[in-house]
Amino acid sequence: MTLKEELAAFYRRCGFADTADRQACTVPVYTGCLLVPLPNIETRHRYLKYHDLHHVATGYSTGRIGEGEVSAWELGTGSMFHSPLLGTMNLIALSTGLVLEPKRMWRAFRRGCRSRNLYPQGMRTQIDSEHWPDLPALRQELLESRRDPLPLPLRAIEFGAYAATAMLIHALIAIPAVCTRVVTDIGLGYSFFQVIKPAKRNDLY
């Protein structure tokens, strides 16, 4: 299949529409145990196709852990230096992954340090012009296609800084969201125990 066909198949498997959320003012984003509505900004629209191709190329899922992994991978490839807004969105997803599977986040970050992403203008132009004929060709270009220019101790410090910032952002978003949800659910007549009872999740992976 061509990359366009691979991406269409990915959307079908995940139940996504490739343009359905462009008009929405907010988009639900995993933040711990909650899907929190965050502003649906133009930067997200511009890079969403390439982010989704990262999912396809790396094999990371769209569940909470998978989104954390692809975000850690993108940070390892240098997404924060390409666009601070992209990097911040990565940190939001990374925070959830760190709570659930921190070792997998570290492995994905290290893999990203040896990989390339599709966010630079030149790479996006090549995608849009169908430069790579299929998924194996794209993977050969992106995945672990370079040597990590920094030694492991410096990468560990970098990841630690990302992790600390991610958890701070997580707290700033999740705590008000949880408080709002508790107040709202109690106002709707649920008992406190019903409100705090963990829901069975099928979206972890």
Side-chain angles (χ1 to χ4, degrees):
M1 290 194 293
T2 66
L3 290 180
K4 186 180 294 186
E5 292 168 338
E6 291 279 4
L7 191 58
F10 167 78
Y11 289 140
R12 288 193 299 270
R13 288 195 304 271
C14 298
F16 296 158
D18 55 358
T19 59
D21 67 347
R22 284 186 175 272
Q23 302 303 317
C25 295
T26 61
V27 60
V29 175
Y30 289 110
T31 306
C33 61
L34 299 177
L35 277 170
V36 178
L38 296 178
N40 196 9
I41 59 178
E42 177 58 30
T43 298
R44 179 178 179 273
H45 296 164
R46 186 180 312 126
Y47 293 105
L48 181 60
K49 177 173 78 172
Y50 311 102
H51 171 82
D52 290 340
L53 279 170
H54 289 163
H55 277 285
V56 175
T58 61
Y60 297 133
S61 76
T62 57
R64 289 190 290 170
I65 294 172
E67 285 292 353
E69 285 178 309
V70 81
S71 293
W73 181 86
E74 289 184 357
L75 287 166
T77 65
S79 64
M80 182 66 75
F81 303 101
H82 177 74
S83 167
L85 273 175
L86 278 174
T88 300
M89 289 188 284
N90 287 153
L91 291 174
I92 293 172
L94 175 64
S95 67
T96 299
L98 286 170
V99 171
L100 296 169
E101 289 283 353
K103 290 182 179 179
R104 286 174 60 168
M105 301 305 112
W106 168 246
R107 287 197 298 267
F109 175 77
R110 291 287 296 125
R111 186 187 186 194
C113 293
R114 302 185 297 275
S115 304
R116 295 179 172 87
N117 67 53
L118 293 171
Y119 291 143
Q121 179 62 55
M123 298 292 277
R124 286 183 281 137
T125 299
Q126 287 180 300
I127 285 291
D128 296 341
S129 64
E130 301 183 354
H131 172 76
W132 292 285
D134 52 30
L135 185 56
L138 179 65
R139 283 175 168 159
Q140 185 175 9
E141 178 70 24
L142 295 186
L143 301 182
E144 300 179 77
S145 57
R146 61 171 185 158
R147 292 182 61 185
D148 187 349
L150 296 179
L152 184 59
L154 287 182
R155 285 302 189 190
I157 293 171
E158 180 186 4
F159 183 75
Y162 286 145
T165 306
M167 297 314 297
L168 176 61
I169 294 173
H170 182 101
L172 292 174
I173 294 174
I175 291 174
V178 169
C179 292
T180 300
R181 178 179 172 179
V182 168
V183 171
T184 301
D185 285 358
I186 289 177
L188 291 173
Y190 294 100
S191 72
F192 179 75
F193 294 104
Q194 287 175 312
V195 171
I196 64 172
K197 181 181 179 181
K200 184 177 180 180
R201 311 293 304 199
N202 59 5
D203 55 2
L204 286 181
Y205 299 95

